Amino acid sequence: MRGEQGYLAYLLRQAQAATRLTLERSLAGLGVTPPQFVVLTMLRAYPGLSGADLARVALLTPQTVGVIIRNLERDGAIRKTPHPVHGRVLQWTLTRRGAMLLGQCRRHANALEQRLMAGLAPREQLAVRRWLSKIAADLQQNG
């Protein structure tokens, strides 16, 4: 069943799919995919992550992150340095170009956020954010 009477999990899936497609179309003009945007965002928040750590925090597979890293490095958006202690581990950071690209992506993502929250009062926005965060935490913790 669709609409307000639909199953909650299905409604969440519909909303997620529509949000992802909208973001995908918005970022396409920049030559960035939503998973690349997530990786850039995580490297801004946590510079020096390894590929494995990036996969964990970005909720992506290591294989997907490997492809993303190669493409972003090729495009000059990120660079690698060896870990100071574990020399075989590579740490990834944004380049100046990557930071600029992330800024452009953020503008598109912020516009989408405004659309998502349109018509909701600040208290309602907070309630939605808390509810979604609780769902994610509860389901990850309890499988």
Side-chain angles (χ1 to χ4, degrees), residues 50-88:
S50 68
D53 290 335
L54 263 173
R56 277 189 289 282
V57 299
L59 304 177
L60 298 167
T61 67
Q63 296 81 2
T64 298
V65 168
V67 171
I68 290 169
I69 284 172
R70 282 192 295 280
N71 290 336
L72 290 174
E73 183 183 30
R74 179 199 65 216
D75 294 343
I78 63 173
R79 71 173 157 264
K80 64 184 168 198
T81 55
H83 189 280
V85 176
H86 308 287
R88 291 179 30 187

Side-chain angles (χ1 to χ4, degrees), residues 17-128:
T19 301
R20 181 180 170 102
L21 181 60
T22 301
L23 183 62
E24 194 171 287
R25 288 177 176 162
S26 180
L27 295 177
L30 299 173
V32 176
T33 65
Q36 288 174 325
F37 172 51
V38 169
V39 166
L40 291 170
T41 299
M42 291 301 112
L43 286 177
R44 166 60 61 126
Y46 311 106
L49 290 176
S50 68
D53 290 335
L54 263 173
R56 277 189 289 282
V57 299
L59 304 177
L60 298 167
T61 67
Q63 296 81 2
T64 298
V65 168
V67 171
I68 290 169
I69 284 172
R70 282 192 295 280
N71 290 336
L72 290 174
E73 183 183 30
R74 179 199 65 216
D75 294 343
I78 63 173
R79 71 173 157 264
K80 64 184 168 198
T81 55
H83 189 280
V85 176
H86 308 287
R88 291 179 30 187
V89 174
L90 298 176
Q91 295 181 297
W92 295 95
T93 55
L94 292 180
T95 62
R96 182 181 192 92
R97 175 171 162 39
M100 289 174 50
L101 182 60
L102 177 57
Q104 293 172 315
C105 292
R106 280 273 21 120
R107 284 190 282 284
H108 289 273
N110 289 342
L112 176 56
E113 289 260 330
Q114 292 302 312
R115 285 181 65 191
L116 292 174
M117 292 297 173
L120 294 178
R123 288 183 72 179
E124 294 170 316
Q125 291 179 27
L126 181 59
V128 169

Side-chain angles (χ1 to χ4, degrees), residues 1-18:
M1 207 183 239
R2 294 182 143 205
E4 293 178 9
Q5 301 305 312
Y7 293 106
L8 190 55
Y10 181 74
L11 294 173
L12 281 170
R13 171 77 171 101
Q14 265 188 313
Q16 187 276 336

